[in-house]
Amino acid sequence: MSKISEHLELAEVIRSEQAKRMGVSNMPTPEHIENFKKLAENVFEKIRNNFRVPIHISSGYRSIELNKAIKGSSSSQHCKGEAIDIDMDGSSNGVTNKMIFDYIYKSLDFDQLIWEYGNDSNPDWVHVSYSSSKPQRKQALKCTRVNGQPHYEPYHNKASL
């Protein structure tokens, strides 16, 4: 497989157990790969270089068919090659999801950053996107479950209030 950037392989952003089980293609278009290159340059590599450890992507590209199967948002930036989910849980290098979230929030340009579930001390994973065609919104959200459904609210960094 080909490289997206110095530390990111295409195989990492297209890996999907669900797509394998369903027998669906999860191969991005050349345009989507170019979008991932921008995301890698502006977000992923900066995270990687800051922490100096491998960064685990739990979800990257999603074909339209795969996105529907997992009940993803119809406007998901994952389908455009503009979003990744990072999950450092279980890594032995001491870097947590909260550390990743805080670094992105304080130091990087991004379109959308989501603290996904978890608790107040650590998200279950971190969603981050980088728009390839519009100015970055710098939208930070926290996602929780309300009556079993995802509920998004603005993220407020208590340390900066």
Side-chain angles (χ1 to χ4, degrees):
M1 283 278 172
S2 61
K3 279 189 165 283
I4 300 255
S5 65
E6 182 180 357
H7 299 102
L8 185 61
E9 299 281 338
L10 179 61
E12 291 176 83
V13 297
I14 65 171
R15 180 182 57 240
S16 168
E17 293 305 314
Q18 183 72 20
K20 286 180 194 174
R21 283 192 293 275
M22 293 172 50
V24 299
S25 172
N26 199 41
M27 186 57 67
T29 67
E31 177 185 348
H32 296 151
I33 292 171
E34 287 304 311
N35 293 345
F36 269 122
K37 287 179 179 179
K38 291 176 188 171
L39 173 65
E41 175 187 345
N42 291 286
V43 179
F44 180 85
E45 288 295 336
K46 290 180 180 184
I47 296 167
R48 175 70 170 75
N49 291 333
N50 180 70
F51 291 102
R52 299 182 188 278
V53 299
I55 302 301
H56 181 260
I57 295 176
S58 58
S59 182
Y61 180 72
R62 293 185 200 147
S63 66
I64 298 294
E65 190 175 0
L66 175 61
N67 195 57
K68 285 180 185 173
I70 65 164
K71 296 179 174 55
S73 167
S74 60
S75 61
S76 174
Q77 287 178 283
H78 286 279
C79 298
K80 299 175 186 174
E82 294 180 340
I84 54 175
D85 293 341
I86 298 170
D87 187 356
M88 299 302 288
D89 285 353
S91 65
S92 60
N93 54 38
V95 177
T96 66
N97 290 337
K98 182 182 185 317
M99 291 166 69
I100 298 285
F101 185 96
D102 288 346
Y103 174 72
I104 296 168
Y105 184 75
K106 293 174 185 170
S107 305
L108 301 182
D109 201 17
F110 59 87
D111 189 53
Q112 194 174 57
L113 177 64
I114 307 174
W115 179 294
E116 298 273 6
Y117 307 107
N119 53 44
D120 286 340
S121 62
N122 199 49
D124 285 346
W125 70 90
V126 175
H127 168 94
V128 62
S129 67
Y130 188 88
S131 177
S132 59
S133 60
K134 300 176 193 167
Q136 307 311 309
R137 294 177 288 174
K138 293 281 277 195
Q139 181 183 48
L141 302 170
K142 186 171 185 180
C143 182
T144 58
R145 289 201 195 283
V146 176
N147 298 323
Q149 298 298 313
H151 172 75
Y152 296 90
E153 58 190 47
Y155 172 80
H156 298 290
N157 183 357
K158 293 177 180 78
S160 66
L161 296 177

